[in-house]
């Protein structure tokens, strides 16, 4: 009888069900009290047999409250398969089942949102609006699940509940992330733009790690979408944690001036470590930037040394087919340019080696462990970097010249490009050099008292060059 009932549920045959009930009027009751994991209602609800579901619910409404081996009610299964009419019938029979969570900690609304079942979500929220406030085992709302699984259409259906209840849109999961944190972490641009239109959304909320959404973007792997996401967040008033602290300190109530001069001098001395800290932070950032650029130049120069313009010979050519010595012999693995243009090859190797060794010297100084924490050492490394970059530029044009055909038009174009590029590069180098000379002179004049130092916020210490040179 149980097998016949299971077959009837799979086929959705109401006639077979009625025939079984005539043979055994208690067959449905026996199914409820038995240890069967799935009831006929589970099967018919999952397969979308609406008439069969109505017949079972009309006779035994308690079937709607039964759970299978995964803790799922028939409502879970119907919602997952988007059987809208069955969802409606199940809600009428047992509306309390909307809040029941399965063994994954999810309600029928959660399942429908994950699957992107727009119609089911609409029906569930219409019948029981409070379902949007039910959480998963991880403290997630239905909004979190929509964002996690990139269900923008479902999320738009929940716009009204979000607008009515700001607590819902700002709810944080067990990791302290609200829906905007998750959308930013997953780089979902369309969802981010939609969420930023919701009034009451806290753009600068902190998660369990103390990060705002902008910090989460900065900490995440870089992506082509990052710039657009950052612009959208900042346009909505999003800030990083550091920027929030600066704003807080700017709006902090001013302290009452101390009459006692000794206390005032103590306060002024206490500001110096903050300035020094800012200078050290600047030096650290500069060293990191130099390390990155030096590593890139060293890699390029190393690769260029191994594969010079024109490549290397792929064979030995010492004698001809008759065994006689040839006039232009070459050896496998040696540079073609060294044989065809020894002068150009010499220039190429000189400037490429200069770029390679200059960049390696910066890396060596950075990892040497020597106490180079003053600006004078940073200047030395910056000058070496200028040399490395300039040598790399010369190497590029030497390579370009060698690879270009001896055509008049091509050579004329190459000559014009080279002249304009070199002139632009020299102008830029001159601007950088003059700018640094001016900064050094200002520092010297301030040090010896010819220029009075401005009293400024510690964060302006870098611009004023108040660190020891």
């Amino acid at each position: 009888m149980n097998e016949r009932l299971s077959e009837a549920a799979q086929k959705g045959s109401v006639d077979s069900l009625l025939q079984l009930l005539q043979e055994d009027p208690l067959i449905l009751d026996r199914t409820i009290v038995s240890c069967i994991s799935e009831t006929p209602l589970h099967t018919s609800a999952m397969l979308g047999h609406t008439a069969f579901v109505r017949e079972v619910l009309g006779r035994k409404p308690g079937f709607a409250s039964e759970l299978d081996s995964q803790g799922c009610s028939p409502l879970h299964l119907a919602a997952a398969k988007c059987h809208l009419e069955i969802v409606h019938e199940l809600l009428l029979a047992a509306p309390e089942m909307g809040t029941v969570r399965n063994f994954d900690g999810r309600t029928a609304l959660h399942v429908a949102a994950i699957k992107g079942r727009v119609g089911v979500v609409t029906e569930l929220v219409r019948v029981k609006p409070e379902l949007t406030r039910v959480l998963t085992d991880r403290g997630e709302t239905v909004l979190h699940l929509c964002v996690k699984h990139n269900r923008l259409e479902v999320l738009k259906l929940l716009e009204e509940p979000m607008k009515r209840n700001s607590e819902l849109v700002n709810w944080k999961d067990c990791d302290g992330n609200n829906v905007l944190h998750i959308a930013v972490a997953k780089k979902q641009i369309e969802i981010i733009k939609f969420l930023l239109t919701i009034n009451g959304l806290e753009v600068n909320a902190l998660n369990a790690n103390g990060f705002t959404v902008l910090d989460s973007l900065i900490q995440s792997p870089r992506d082509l979408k990052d710039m657009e996401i950052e612009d959208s967040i900042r346009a909505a008033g999003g800030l990083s944690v550091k920027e929030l602290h600066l704003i807080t300190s700017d709006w902090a109530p001013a302290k009452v001036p101390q009459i006692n001069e000794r206390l005032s001098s103590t306060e002024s001395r206490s500001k110096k470590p903050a300035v020094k800290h800012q200078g050290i932070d600047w030096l650290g950032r500069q060293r990191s930037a130099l390390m990155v650029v030096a590593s890139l130049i060293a890699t390029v120069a190393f690769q260029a040394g191994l594969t010079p313009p024109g490549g290397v010979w792929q064979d030995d050519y010492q004698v001809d087919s008759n065994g006689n010595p040839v006039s232009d012999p070459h050896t496998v693995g040696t540079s073609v340019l060294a044989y065809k243009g020894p002068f150009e090859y010499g220039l190429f190797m000189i400037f490429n080696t200069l770029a390679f060794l200059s960049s390696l010297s910066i890396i060596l100084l950075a990892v040497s462990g020597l106490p180079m924490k003053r600006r004078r050492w940073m200047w030395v490394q910056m000058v070496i970097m200028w040399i490395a970059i300039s040598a790399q530029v010369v190497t590029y044009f030497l390579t370009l010249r060698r690879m270009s055909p001896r055509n008049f038009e091509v050579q004329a174009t190459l000559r014009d490009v080279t002249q304009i590029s070199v002139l632009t590069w020299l102008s830029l180098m001159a601007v950088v050099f003059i700018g640094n000379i001016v900064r050094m002179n200002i520092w010297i004049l301030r040090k010896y008292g010819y220029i009075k130092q401005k009293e400024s916020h510690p964060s302006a210490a870098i611009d004023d060059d108040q660190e020891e040179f």
Side-chain angles (χ1 to χ4, degrees):
M1 295 288 287
N2 288 333
E3 291 180 1
R4 291 170 60 190
L5 180 60
S6 178
E7 291 178 1
Q10 293 177 20
K11 296 178 181 179
S13 176
V14 177
D15 294 337
S16 299
L17 174 62
L18 295 177
Q19 183 178 352
L20 288 170
L21 288 172
Q22 288 180 354
E23 296 177 13
D24 184 0
L26 299 178
I27 188 172
L28 293 178
D29 297 277
R30 292 194 180 93
T31 302
I32 292 178
V33 299
S34 67
C35 297
I36 299 175
S37 60
E38 290 186 357
T39 67
L41 188 60
H42 282 94
T43 303
S44 57
M46 180 175 61
L47 297 177
H49 300 313
T50 307
F52 193 95
V53 169
R54 286 174 179 161
E55 188 67 31
V56 172
L57 290 176
R59 295 176 178 274
K60 297 293 178 183
F63 267 92
S65 302
E66 294 294 314
L67 304 179
D68 64 9
S69 58
Q70 300 299 318
C72 292
S73 67
L75 183 60
H76 282 90
L77 304 180
K81 296 298 291 290
C82 198
H83 299 313
L84 191 56
E85 292 185 10
I86 295 178
V87 168
H88 180 74
E89 295 292 335
L90 291 170
L91 283 175
L92 290 178
E96 72 281 358
M97 296 307 294
T99 59
V100 173
R101 298 184 297 181
N102 60 16
F103 291 165
D104 292 329
R106 296 166 179 167
T107 65
L109 179 62
H110 296 154
V111 173
I114 291 172
K115 295 289 185 179
R117 311 306 189 193
V118 177
V120 174
V121 172
T122 303
E123 179 67 14
L124 290 170
V125 174
R126 183 187 66 81
V127 176
K128 290 182 70 66
E130 62 272 17
L131 293 180
T132 56
R133 298 194 293 270
V134 181
L135 307 178
T136 67
D137 289 344
R138 300 189 72 256
E140 301 163 314
T141 65
V142 63
L143 306 182
H144 286 87
L145 298 176
C146 289
V147 175
K148 272 190 172 182
H149 295 85
N150 199 19
R151 303 298 184 184
L152 178 59
E153 294 302 319
V154 178
L155 193 63
K156 288 181 177 179
L157 288 176
L158 303 171
E159 183 175 1
E160 285 303 319
M162 285 190 282
K163 289 182 177 179
R164 290 196 303 267
N165 186 1
S166 61
E167 184 181 2
L168 177 63
V169 72
N170 292 310
W171 188 266
K172 298 179 180 180
D173 62 14
C174 62
D175 297 320
N177 293 317
N178 63 16
V179 288
L180 190 57
H181 278 99
I182 297 174
V184 169
K186 290 183 173 292
K187 309 295 178 69
Q188 297 168 341
I189 295 180
E190 296 301 322
I191 290 182
I192 292 171
K193 291 180 178 179
F194 170 73
L195 290 174
L196 292 175
T197 63
I198 304 299
N199 294 329
L201 175 66
E202 296 179 7
V203 183
N204 293 316
L206 303 181
N207 63 10
N209 295 322
F211 291 160
T212 64
V213 291
L214 195 58
D215 292 313
S216 299
L217 177 65
I218 296 172
Q219 295 293 329
S220 65
R222 308 311 294 166
D223 192 279
L224 295 176
K225 306 174 184 176
D226 288 4
M227 185 175 296
E228 184 178 357
I229 294 175
E230 182 176 354
D231 291 342
S232 299
I233 294 173
R234 288 195 178 278
L239 299 171
S240 65
V241 172
K242 290 183 179 179
E243 292 167 336
L244 287 175
H245 288 169
L246 288 176
I247 292 175
T248 303
S249 61
D250 289 341
W251 284 90
K255 293 183 179 180
V256 178
Q258 299 290 332
I259 299 177
N260 192 308
E261 294 182 359
R262 183 167 56 85
L263 292 177
S264 299
S265 62
T266 303
E267 288 182 1
S268 62
R269 287 196 300 270
S270 66
K271 294 179 182 179
K272 294 182 179 179
V275 175
K276 188 171 183 180
H277 173 75
Q278 292 287 341
I280 293 174
D281 185 49
W282 178 84
L283 291 174
R285 292 196 300 270
Q286 289 294 102
R287 280 197 299 271
S288 299
L290 286 175
M291 275 286 288
V292 172
V293 177
S295 300
L296 292 174
I297 293 178
T299 302
V300 173
F302 178 79
Q303 187 63 31
L306 294 182
T307 56
V312 296
W313 295 109
Q314 302 297 315
D315 61 343
D316 284 318
Y317 184 60
Q318 303 294 333
V319 296
D320 58 17
S321 58
N322 298 324
N324 299 319
V326 296
S327 59
D328 53 347
H330 58 255
T331 305
V332 63
T334 56
S335 172
V336 175
L337 181 60
Y339 289 89
K340 301 297 183 180
F343 179 73
E344 293 179 348
Y345 179 74
L347 290 177
F348 171 80
M349 292 304 297
I350 289 172
F351 285 103
N352 189 66
T353 302
L354 181 61
F356 182 64
L357 295 181
S358 298
S359 56
L360 285 184
S361 65
I362 293 174
I363 297 173
L364 179 62
L365 290 173
V367 301
S368 63
L370 297 176
M372 296 183 295
K373 297 183 179 180
R374 295 185 178 182
R375 288 177 179 265
R376 66 185 68 166
W377 297 113
M378 184 58 62
W379 272 73
V380 171
Q381 294 182 68
M382 289 173 64
V383 171
I384 297 174
M385 178 57 68
W386 294 345
I387 296 173
I389 295 176
S390 299
Q392 194 73 35
V393 171
V394 176
T395 302
Y396 169 78
F397 281 109
L398 286 173
T399 304
L400 196 62
R401 180 181 177 184
R402 179 59 190 176
M403 295 174 63
S404 301
R406 300 300 179 184
N407 182 278
F408 176 76
E409 294 182 359
V410 173
Q411 290 296 318
T413 303
L414 178 61
R415 183 170 57 255
D416 293 341
V417 170
T418 303
Q419 290 176 354
I420 295 173
S421 301
V422 170
L423 181 61
T424 303
W425 178 257
L426 291 176
S427 301
L428 179 60
M429 291 291 291
V431 170
V432 174
F433 180 77
I434 294 172
N436 281 281
I437 291 297
V438 171
R439 291 184 64 189
M440 183 179 67
N441 289 332
I442 292 175
W443 174 83
I444 293 173
L445 293 175
R446 283 179 178 171
K447 182 175 182 180
Y448 292 99
Y450 293 103
I451 297 179
K452 186 177 180 181
Q453 293 184 3
K454 297 183 295 183
E455 294 184 0
S456 59
H457 193 274
S459 62
I462 304 307
D463 297 330
D464 293 338
D465 287 323
Q466 294 175 353
E467 276 299 301
E468 184 174 359
F469 182 73

